[in-house]
Amino acid sequence: MPDLPPLREVIAKHGLSASKALGQNFLFDAQLLDRIAAIPGNLSGQAVLEIGPGPGGLTRALLKAGARVTAIEMDKRCLPALAELAEAYPGQLRVIEGDALKLDHGELMGGEPFAIVANLPYNVGTALFTRWLGGEQWPPQWTSLTLMFQLEVAQRIVAEPGSGAYGRLAVLAQWRSAAKLAMKVHRSAFTPPPKVMSAIVHVTPAAMPEGVSARVLERLTEAAFGQRRKMLRQSLKGVPGALEALGKLGIDETRRAETLGVDDFVAVARVLS
Ligand code: SAM
């Protein structure tokens, strides 16, 4: 194992004070980082896409686990520290400077399957999450997502019907994937500590239900949860054929969106697709 300087030294050496604008909250605890890197399973020899490596704490743990890491970072200040890490693990780390929202990840990974691991700011994390889980192509090129979110967002992703947290994110994450809350992370683990608690969500692709268009399902959940307090007969009024589909499936149109299971949404989308 290469003998690396402590992360706090790396930060001081390269002047990497955390930028609020870039949503930077760094993790330094090597044991915690090893536990996070273990969530996707055995990474030895596996291709991993890490978004937002920052000074490289999580990157170190991934490299230690034997992963071949491609890391996308948009903060230029972090590049020299990451270059040192690439030198310490020859041939194992490729750093791409850029905005992950603007890059084609599949192309970047040269068409090979890869695991995604990231500790990202809230807005970027959810935008990428919906992108990775959306679209008609399934199974996706990624084999798993291991992502840090605010605890409240993580709870929305794994939520079950009937709970206040259940909504579009839950249906998106569960209709053709398995999503679980893998680990809670206390705010004090970060430097600087964010205002809220965090958690890591782990998602793996499952079978795509037959005869369902992802676009139709997304439109349906958008309408249903857009007015979540309303009965379905009101919230789905604007979705052509939706009320007829409810009738056909024996789903009472006076129910509200949050009482329908993921399977119910899939069944309605199948009738509409
Ligand atoms: N992975 C490091 C860790 O766990 O200590 C840093 C985490 S910090 C919360 C998020 C990182 O994502 C920062 O380094 C930030 O510069 C980077 N970042 C933010 N938006 C990004 C984007 N759109 N594309 C690539 N990197 C981004």
Side-chain angles (χ1 to χ4, degrees):
M1 216 56 76
D3 192 17
L4 297 165
L7 277 164
R8 286 182 196 279
E9 252 175 50
V10 173
I11 289 200
K13 176 178 161 193
H14 296 286
L16 301 179
S17 53
S19 147
K20 228 181 180 173
L22 285 171
Q24 291 179 335
N25 302 93
F26 301 135
L27 292 169
F28 293 137
D29 179 341
Q31 271 183 7
L32 172 67
L33 289 161
D34 285 343
R35 277 169 51 218
I36 297 173
I39 292 172
N42 184 1
L43 288 179
S44 182
Q46 300 296 309
V48 170
L49 176 64
E50 188 196 357
I51 318 274
L58 185 51
T59 322
R60 287 182 179 202
L62 294 167
L63 293 167
K64 209 164 111 190
R68 292 178 289 117
V69 181
T70 297
I72 307 175
E73 175 56 63
M74 70 186 296
D75 183 357
K76 277 192 178 57
R77 298 176 310 153
C78 296
L79 301 181
L82 294 167
E84 285 174 8
L85 203 49
E87 232 171 81
Y89 284 90
Q92 245 184 284
L93 173 61
R94 176 170 65 128
V95 180
I96 315 262
E97 182 202 339
D99 181 347
L101 291 167
K102 295 189 181 146
L103 294 166
D104 180 331
H105 306 144
E107 193 180 289
L108 207 62
M109 300 306 282
E112 95 173 301
F114 59 98
I116 297 178
V117 180
N119 170 19
L120 279 169
Y122 165 68
N123 54 342
V124 183
T126 28
L128 287 172
F129 187 73
T130 22
R131 197 216 283 185
W132 287 323
L133 285 163
E136 302 296 341
Q137 190 211 323
W138 206 262
Q141 199 180 322
W142 52 265
T143 52
S144 69
L145 306 175
T146 304
L147 308 172
M148 182 84 76
F149 284 105
Q150 294 181 13
L151 177 60
E152 178 259 329
V153 176
Q155 284 164 337
R156 276 164 47 201
I157 290 169
V158 302
E160 292 186 4
S163 69
Y166 181 68
R168 283 174 72 187
L169 264 187
V171 178
L172 177 70
Q174 297 173 32
W175 77 279
R176 52 181 176 177
S177 315
K180 66 170 204 262
L181 202 156
M183 187 194 289
K184 288 188 185 174
V185 184
H186 197 271
R187 47 189 290 281
S188 62
F190 298 87
T191 304
K195 288 201 178 74
V196 292
M197 303 289 273
S198 297
I200 296 182
V201 170
H202 186 241
V203 180
T204 46
M208 169 111 175
E210 260 176 56
V212 180
S213 150
R215 212 163 41 86
V216 169
L217 184 75
E218 278 159 28
R219 247 201 357 244
L220 183 67
T221 51
E222 190 185 338
F225 289 106
Q227 304 181 59
R228 61 183 297 139
R229 297 273 154 246
K230 298 259 167 71
M231 292 178 193
L232 291 168
R233 80 167 159 227
Q234 174 65 29
S235 59
L236 295 184
K237 225 184 204 165
V239 182
L243 299 184
E244 291 78 2
L246 291 181
K248 199 170 158 190
L249 294 163
I251 299 173
D252 185 348
E253 60 181 32
T254 64
R255 285 170 66 181
R256 292 192 304 194
E258 67 194 33
T259 70
L260 261 60
V262 175
D263 289 350
D264 294 325
F265 280 108
V266 167
V268 178
R270 182 176 288 116
V271 175
L272 297 178
S273 293

